[in-house]
Amino acid sequence: MNTDQKMRQSTSASAYGGRARTDAGDGDPPVRAKRFWSARRVPAGIVALAVFAVSGLLLYDVAAVRSGRPAMRWREWLADQLAARPLDDPWIMSGAALLAALGVWMVVLALTPGLRGLLPMRSPGAGAGAGAEKDVEDAEAGVAVRAGIDRASAGLVLRDRAMEVPGVRSARVDVGRRRIRARALAHFRDLDEVRADLDTALHEGIHQLGLARRPALSVRVRRSAKSKG
């Protein structure tokens, strides 16, 4: 790649910065929408089974000792180890750290919504005026309409929009919760023109997705290797 091509690509990528700041306030205002909460059935089921198994085993052993039978060897060994080892023993510290990490993990799962791959969408009629009044009436009537779109699916939709731009040979769109990154290869036309058209097409595509919180857009266009030759 020569110096002129590098400069053109750098200009094409940096020119987006100024437009991103001016377009941030255009279009529909952001709507406060709660994220979808994951049911987390698998972690809850694993924890429930583990607690049930350990509790049942301990209760059986205690009942056996109360009836005059000897305790299980593993419980005798565990009791001897806990009585003989000091608190600063590496095995005791490692076990305590592991249990603490598991506890923190469970607390994080309980307090965070999860489903990071699902983006909330605007509810029907969201906005001001009659739309807002309808939302209030629906809320009072107990009607809850919530929609979401998978980030991978949104990326495919925006990629299809990017491939419709003249001059784009291939494109990749990564959709995050706060930012959308688009990378494209151009095989003809000026890079700045391709980037401007791609920027417009992706902004329109993001608007049509109807996201409750519109992510920031980052567009980068470069010349394909075949076109350089």
Side-chain angles (χ1 to χ4, degrees):
M1 181 185 297
N2 54 36
T3 305
D4 181 63
Q5 288 177 334
K6 291 182 179 179
M7 183 177 298
R8 288 166 62 191
Q9 291 186 19
S10 177
T11 303
S12 177
S14 62
Y16 177 77
R19 180 171 181 178
R21 287 187 294 270
T22 57
D23 289 351
D26 296 341
D28 298 331
V31 177
R32 297 192 61 180
K34 296 182 179 179
R35 289 174 53 188
F36 294 89
W37 279 77
S38 173
R40 295 190 174 97
R41 295 182 177 89
V42 175
I46 293 175
V47 172
L49 289 176
V51 172
F52 177 78
V54 174
S55 301
L57 189 60
L58 287 176
L59 288 176
Y60 173 80
D61 191 45
V62 170
V65 172
R66 291 291 184 179
S67 62
R69 297 181 181 181
M72 294 183 179
R73 292 184 179 179
W74 66 268
R75 197 161 72 92
E76 293 180 352
W77 175 85
L78 181 60
D80 294 339
Q81 292 295 324
L82 292 177
R85 293 180 181 271
L87 293 179
D88 57 351
D89 185 83
W91 287 101
I92 300 296
M93 299 293 291
S94 301
L98 178 60
L99 292 177
L102 289 176
V104 172
W105 179 61
M106 296 302 297
V107 171
V108 170
L109 288 180
L111 298 180
T112 55
L115 294 180
R116 298 176 61 87
L118 195 61
L119 299 177
M121 301 175 64
R122 293 173 178 267
S123 59
E133 295 177 358
K134 185 178 184 301
D135 289 342
V136 174
E137 294 177 357
D138 291 344
E140 293 177 352
V143 179
V145 179
R146 298 191 63 193
I149 183 171
D150 184 71
R151 285 163 50 181
S153 301
L156 292 177
V157 172
L158 294 178
R159 177 185 175 277
D160 292 341
R161 295 297 299 267
M163 294 300 297
E164 296 176 357
V165 176
V168 175
R169 181 183 182 89
S170 62
R172 176 180 177 181
V173 180
D174 298 322
V175 178
R177 293 195 304 116
R178 300 182 182 276
R179 180 175 294 274
I180 297 177
R181 293 178 174 85
R183 304 293 180 264
L185 293 178
H187 57 105
F188 69 92
R189 297 181 66 198
D190 183 73
L191 291 179
D192 290 337
E193 294 179 358
V194 175
R195 191 211 60 80
D197 292 345
L198 184 61
D199 182 18
T200 302
L202 291 179
H203 268 99
E204 182 179 355
I206 295 173
H207 175 73
Q208 292 179 353
L209 287 177
L211 300 178
R213 178 175 181 178
R214 189 176 304 178
L217 178 62
S218 172
V219 178
R220 189 176 297 272
V221 180
R222 62 186 180 90
R223 189 73 65 189
S224 62
K226 293 184 180 180
S227 299
K228 297 175 185 178

